[in-house]
Amino acid sequence: MDSGRAVRRDGLAEEMQTMTRKTVGLGVSLLVGALWPMTSSAAPAGAAADSTTVQPTSAEAPATSAPATNASVDASAGVGVDAGAVDGSVAAEGPAPADSGLSDEDIAAAEAADASSTETASSSNSGGEPWIRRYRPRRNSFEFGIYGGIFLNSREHELFDPVMEQAGRPDYWKPYRRVAPSFGLRFAYYPLSFLGGELEGGAMPTWSQDIDTGENLARATHYSFHGSVIGQLPFWSIAPFVLVGGGLLGTSGALGSDVDPSIHFGGGVKFFLNDWVLLRLDIRDHMAAKRNIDDGATHYPEFLIGLSLRFGGKPSESVDSDGDGYIDEEDACPYDPENYNGYEDEDGCPEYDRDGDGFFDNQDACPDVPGVAPDGCPPKDSDGDGFLDSQDACPNEPGVPPDGCPIRDSDKDGILDPDDQCVYEPENYNGFEDEDGCPDEMPETALEFNGVIQGIFFDFNKATIKAKSMPVLDRAVSVLSEFPSLRVEISGHTDNKGSAEYNQKLSQERAESVKTYLVSKGVPDDRVITRGAGEDEPIDTNKTARGRAKNRRIEFKILVAKPAGVE
């Protein structure tokens, strides 16, 4: 590669000559290779050698590869080999014959010339590198170019001859036409691929204008000379950049001659069309002295498009941008250096273990959380029950000790198996012993107090229980005591005599009187609830005395409570 660079430095003419010689040699070898199967006569020794050996590019084989290179070089450079190598096998696979007449110096010179031409060809196609990276900025490069665009004059400029103002001339100041063309030259040097300096000089022809009418009055020419520091992204053939600098902004013509110091800043983007030519777009703002304001500044925006030529610099295909020993064209991560940790070191990309769990990030399903095998994620508790999946017999169902499985309800009756006396027979929920989990038949005795209860009487228009009601009520106490799982609702009902509000109140008080008696005889308070229905739930007509008598009643209802979700 060093010898190739030495040849390339000898000049463009020699490089083009080498490329031409190589191209002719390659064409001859391809032609002979195509015709060889169709002829039985011996091909020329040099052509035969070339027909069997096509020189690889520098990306495919190093300059010090097998002696086959010698044969290829000899043919392409026009150097003859022993005619005895008719089929090219010796020239392609072994050293040149002893009687070839080639000295070591001849072979070395031929190898150097071939390396130069091969590298030049490789450089011309950039090793297959995609365009977006092929022509990116280089260090130690120069750019020379032209530009054009528009320059926006400030309405508060101070570009006029101060002598005219001191002389008291009324026309010493006029506005300039707002938009002026701008064109000039630029020269830049980039010691680093991302940082450089630039000098520019330009002219902006314009007119002075009437303050009131805006009519063009006289010609003037602005000019600028300034230097800039440019920072650019060196990664792609499209390179955004920013710049800042200072210089001089002057004028001559309509309002005399004047020069003011200026500073500027801006940015843009470069489009590297190939190794030599680039298109450039700029937007910048010049700041210079403002009229009649000490230490004040006004603004002159400028929009430019330019064309530049690039010279020098290290060819991009030989750049190792991240300094990891892999040139960019062979580096899968050309701007992120390989960290050489024994894992996939051959790709030029670093491997990291952000969470420090021993799993490289590209193998770690949870790269930011320390984890365990097999995927580098922390042990999971999928059901959130406090048991890790590896220790959970039911990893997708929240459970309890000892195995992390939920307590089952095998018969789906709402009573968990440990509390269910009939694990595989669902409770039938009829109000009798519903908490045991077994289906039960309601005892006939208990059914005596489910519905209208005959034999409970009250004083007229009162909630006072008559003495003749006691046998029925005592029987109710006996049944409720016999079957302690029963809970009942006592509801009072009236006929439609009187107001609805009064009847509802009276029915509620009568139900409460019955409950009070039962509780006084030992029935737990929480097993009895009351309700006053008033006249709203008749069971007979209220048009007859008999019907109204039937509607004035007390009802018992055995309560059934089912667990949530049980039908």
Side-chain angles (χ1 to χ4, degrees), residues 23 34 39 133 181 189 224 235 260 264 266 319 337 346 361 375 392 405 409 414 434 457 530 534 566:
T23 302
T39 178
R133 291 178 51 203
Y189 171 61
S224 65
F235 308 129
D260 290 334
H264 63 274
V319 170
E346 65 282 353
D361 291 349
D375 59 0
D392 197 334
C405 286
D409 176 15
D434 291 339
F457 304 97
T530 60
V566 177

Side-chain angles (χ1 to χ4, degrees), residues 157 159-162 164 171-176 208 219-220 251-258:
H157 73 83
L159 293 175
F160 60 86
D161 188 345
M164 296 171 60
D171 61 344
Y172 78 91
W173 188 91
K174 299 287 184 184
Y176 292 111
S208 65
R219 293 181 181 275
T251 189
S252 63
L255 302 182
S257 298
D258 187 35

Side-chain angles (χ1 to χ4, degrees), residues 123-166:
S123 176
S124 67
N125 63 24
S126 300
E129 190 174 28
W131 175 85
I132 195 63
R133 291 178 51 203
R134 190 180 307 164
Y135 307 120
R136 57 190 178 272
R138 303 174 183 172
R139 61 185 176 89
N140 294 325
S141 63
F142 298 86
E143 293 177 7
F144 178 77
I146 59 175
Y147 66 82
I150 59 174
F151 180 87
L152 302 183
N153 280 300
S154 170
R155 292 301 187 185
E156 299 176 306
H157 73 83
E158 199 173 60
L159 293 175
F160 60 86
D161 188 345
V163 176
M164 296 171 60
E165 179 183 16
Q166 294 170 2

Side-chain angles (χ1 to χ4, degrees), residues 145-151 180-186 200-206 221-224 302-305:
I146 59 175
Y147 66 82
I150 59 174
F151 180 87
S182 175
F183 53 87
L185 301 175
R186 56 170 55 118
E200 288 181 328
M204 297 79 79
T206 187
T221 301
H222 297 336
Y223 52 88
S224 65
E302 191 173 25
F303 305 88
L304 302 174
I305 182 171

Side-chain angles (χ1 to χ4, degrees), residues 142-146 275-278 307-311:
F142 298 86
E143 293 177 7
F144 178 77
I146 59 175
D275 272 333
W276 312 104
V277 181
L278 64 103
L307 190 68
S308 297
L309 299 179
R310 176 173 63 176
F311 304 95

Side-chain angles (χ1 to χ4, degrees), residues 219-234:
R219 293 181 181 275
T221 301
H222 297 336
Y223 52 88
S224 65
F225 300 97
H226 46 259
S228 306
V229 175
I230 300 181
Q232 61 189 1
L233 293 180

Side-chain angles (χ1 to χ4, degrees), residues 39-342:
T39 178
S40 59
S41 61
D50 253 0
S51 70
T52 57
T53 305
V54 178
Q55 174 65 24
T57 65
S58 58
E60 296 168 344
T64 56
S65 58
T69 305
N70 296 341
S72 174
V73 172
D74 290 344
S76 63
V79 180
V81 297
D82 182 25
V86 173
D87 60 359
S89 60
V90 174
E93 299 179 3
D99 59 349
S100 64
L102 297 177
S103 66
D104 290 343
E105 290 78 9
D106 292 336
I107 294 175
E111 285 181 339
D114 184 68
S116 172
S117 61
T118 301
E119 184 175 343
T120 301
S122 175
S123 176
S124 67
N125 63 24
S126 300
E129 190 174 28
W131 175 85
I132 195 63
R133 291 178 51 203
R134 190 180 307 164
Y135 307 120
R136 57 190 178 272
R138 303 174 183 172
R139 61 185 176 89
N140 294 325
S141 63
F142 298 86
E143 293 177 7
F144 178 77
I146 59 175
Y147 66 82
I150 59 174
F151 180 87
L152 302 183
N153 280 300
S154 170
R155 292 301 187 185
E156 299 176 306
H157 73 83
E158 199 173 60
L159 293 175
F160 60 86
D161 188 345
V163 176
M164 296 171 60
E165 179 183 16
Q166 294 170 2
R169 290 179 51 177
D171 61 344
Y172 78 91
W173 188 91
K174 299 287 184 184
Y176 292 111
R177 188 167 61 184
R178 178 63 170 162
V179 179
S182 175
F183 53 87
L185 301 175
R186 56 170 55 118
F187 175 79
Y189 171 61
Y190 293 88
L192 302 173
S193 61
F194 61 88
L195 186 67
E198 183 173 69
L199 297 176
E200 288 181 328
M204 297 79 79
T206 187
W207 291 76
S208 65
Q209 293 185 325
D210 185 274
I211 296 177
D212 299 320
T213 66
E215 178 184 359
N216 292 339
L217 299 178
R219 293 181 181 275
T221 301
H222 297 336
Y223 52 88
S224 65
F225 300 97
H226 46 259
S228 306
V229 175
I230 300 181
Q232 61 189 1
L233 293 180
F235 308 129
W236 310 286
S237 299
I238 299 177
F241 66 88
V242 294
L243 57 81
V244 63
L248 300 174
L249 180 62
T251 189
S252 63
L255 302 182
S257 298
D258 187 35
V259 178
D260 290 334
S262 67
I263 61 174
H264 63 274
F265 62 91
V269 62
K270 296 179 181 179
F271 300 87
F272 290 86
L273 306 181
N274 55 40
D275 272 333
W276 312 104
V277 181
L278 64 103
L279 182 68
R280 172 169 157 177
L281 302 177
D282 285 66
I283 300 175
R284 62 182 66 175
D285 183 23
H286 300 267
M287 293 184 291
K290 186 175 183 180
R291 180 190 176 200
N292 294 334
I293 298 179
D294 292 339
D295 299 324
T298 189
H299 300 269
Y300 300 84
E302 191 173 25
F303 305 88
L304 302 174
I305 182 171
L307 190 68
S308 297
L309 299 179
R310 176 173 63 176
F311 304 95
K314 191 176 181 181
S316 59
E317 57 268 21
S318 300
V319 170
D320 177 12
S321 298
D322 55 15
D324 62 359
Y326 290 94
I327 62 174
D328 289 358
E329 67 179 2
E330 299 174 358
D331 196 333
C333 302
Y335 310 110
D336 204 358
E338 175 64 67
N339 54 355
Y340 295 102
N341 53 14

